[in-house]
Amino acid sequence: MEYFKLNNGIRIPALGFGTWKVKGDDCVNAVKAAIEVGYRHIDTAWVYKNEKEVGQALRESGIPRSEFFITTKCWNDHRGYEATMKAFQVSCENLGTDYLDLYLLHWPKPLDAESWRAMEELYEAGKIKAIGVSNYHQHHLEDLKKTARILPMVDQIEFSPRLTQEPLMAYLKEEGVQMEAWSPLMQGQVFDIEVLKELAAKYNKSIAQIVLRWNVDKGVVVLPKSVTPKRIKENFEVFDFKLDPNDIARIDALNQNIRTGADPDNFDF
Ligand SMILES: NC(=O)c1ccc[n+]([C@@H]2O[C@H](COP(=O)([O-])OP(=O)(O)OC[C@H]3O[C@@H](n4cnc5c(N)ncnc54)[C@H](OP(=O)(O)O)[C@@H]3O)[C@@H](O)[C@H]2O)c1
């Protein structure tokens, strides 16, 4: 595993396990399979309706809580100071933990400033090790900064070879906000891209491994999801090679600004 350092000094594993759309026993089994091969960073959200199953898998692994890096997210309906405080409690109860490693505002919404005040208090009380946002563009961050006392440590956004978000990435770097990539495999749509096939052959790796390594080489925390044990293991095996700068540039050049998910500027949940 490789790690990046957040702007408050917390170490974050560069690879985390995504759990969107994974529910019930499938979730318990997938998270257990991930822990078995070495993942210690798990990404969930209240709205995924699987925090309890993630918590169950963590407990049944027998591995101490302190060895895990657990992220969950405050849903859009839970905005405002009191609602965010309550949402944090509910997520902790679901997960069976008394602290979170990372708590994110899931999408930019009105009342985020008040929610952020709650997150700052929870952070200062030591109940959250790092606080951040998700799906924030530069203008959303600039709005938050008007009232925030503490800058977000993380912004989790959609990022893939077809959506490289270069201006936002440069802004986050300048601000010291760690970027995380959601849907890094474009929910399964990266596998037809010719350049990635060539690179997979060149490095004797799979397309998924090339894409995940490209993230890590670019300093991006990456969160692949799979319910298939063989793929869960494959996606973890990306720490025994690095991409040449020319090949990183070839993947960068695949950008077409194509999203697989919603655009934060044109979608209202
Ligand atoms: N903050 C947000 O708003 C937000 C939004 C979306 C996602 N996320 C986070 O990001 C995580 C990842 O995104 P995602 O779940 O949308 O999709 P993803 O990781 O881009 O892709 C998952 C898909 O790729 C397949 N796959 C995974 N590894 C593979 C491999 N090695 N070879 C071939 N196919 C493979 C999976 O199939 P199987 O599962 O069938 O193996 C699944 O269909 C989420 O789970 C969630 O934690 C956050």
Side-chain angles (χ1 to χ4, degrees):
M1 179 52 65
E2 292 172 33
Y3 296 84
F4 300 130
K5 207 176 246 188
L6 302 182
N7 64 24
N8 64 345
I10 292 283
R11 265 178 16 136
I12 183 166
L15 181 81
F17 186 66
T19 64
W20 184 33
K21 296 185 184 165
V22 191
K23 291 194 181 159
D25 286 347
D26 286 348
C27 180
V28 178
N29 294 334
V31 175
K32 279 185 174 169
I35 294 169
E36 184 82 11
V37 297
Y39 293 76
R40 293 293 178 269
H41 173 179
I42 315 290
D43 183 81
T44 181
W46 178 86
V47 80
Y48 300 171
K49 303 274 181 270
N50 63 11
E51 289 175 322
K52 284 187 179 154
E53 288 78 6
V54 169
Q56 182 186 338
L58 298 177
R59 264 191 316 284
E60 290 179 3
S61 73
I63 294 169
R65 165 69 183 90
S66 58
E67 291 190 23
F68 289 109
F69 189 100
I70 309 301
T71 302
T72 192
K73 312 182 191 90
C74 178
W75 186 239
N76 305 341
D77 298 338
H78 306 151
R79 290 305 148 81
Y81 179 87
E82 291 300 337
T84 296
M85 284 290 186
K86 175 93 177 56
F88 165 79
Q89 281 304 338
V90 169
S91 285
C92 282
E93 279 161 29
N94 285 343
L95 285 159
T97 182
D98 54 4
Y99 74 95
L100 295 176
D101 295 280
L102 178 62
Y103 197 37
L104 305 176
L105 294 181
H106 205 145
W107 289 87
K109 294 291 289 179
L111 293 180
D112 276 1
E114 280 302 289
S115 287
W116 191 252
R117 190 162 66 80
M119 308 248 301
E120 289 174 328
E121 278 184 24
L122 292 164
Y123 171 70
E124 286 171 326
K127 293 180 177 174
I128 311 175
K129 303 288 178 200
I131 51 178
V133 293
S134 178
N135 299 302
Y136 264 46
H137 287 166
Q138 179 169 341
H139 68 96
H140 299 118
L141 279 158
E142 280 167 359
D143 275 353
L144 193 73
K145 275 172 69 179
K146 288 178 192 154
T147 51
R149 289 184 295 110
I150 302 171
L151 261 189
M153 287 130 209
V154 165
D155 191 2
Q156 183 181 121
I157 59 173
E158 183 173 0
F159 179 73
S160 76
R162 292 290 192 219
L163 184 71
T164 57
Q165 307 242 38
E166 278 175 26
L168 179 55
M169 191 176 189
Y171 173 75
L172 294 176
K173 198 166 187 185
E174 201 180 285
E175 293 289 309
V177 179
Q178 175 66 50
M179 186 174 135
E180 293 189 346
W182 62 254
S183 297
L185 304 174
M186 299 178 75
Q187 301 186 44
Q189 292 172 53
V190 283
F191 300 104
D192 298 331
I193 301 175
E194 243 0 273
V195 168
L196 297 178
K197 288 184 192 165
E198 276 174 39
L199 292 175
K202 172 176 171 183
Y203 288 89
N204 198 21
K205 287 283 179 180
S206 70
I207 288 178
Q209 288 169 329
I210 296 291
V211 172
L212 299 175
R213 186 66 232 182
W214 169 71
N215 278 265
V216 177
D217 282 339
K218 288 176 77 67
V220 175
V221 171
V222 65
L223 306 166
K225 166 265 177 188
S226 176
V227 291
T228 315
K230 190 175 149 287
R231 292 173 174 173
I232 292 172
K233 183 166 183 291
E234 176 188 319
N235 294 348
F236 194 74
E237 291 171 347
V238 295
F239 300 107
D240 56 352
F241 77 115
K242 270 182 187 288
L243 296 172
D244 295 337
N246 284 344
D247 293 328
I248 293 175
R250 284 187 78 193
I251 304 179
D252 291 345
L254 295 171
N255 182 46
Q256 293 179 349
N257 297 321
I258 293 175
R259 293 178 184 274
T260 58
D263 180 344
D265 280 329
N266 293 310
F267 203 85
D268 186 22
F269 287 98

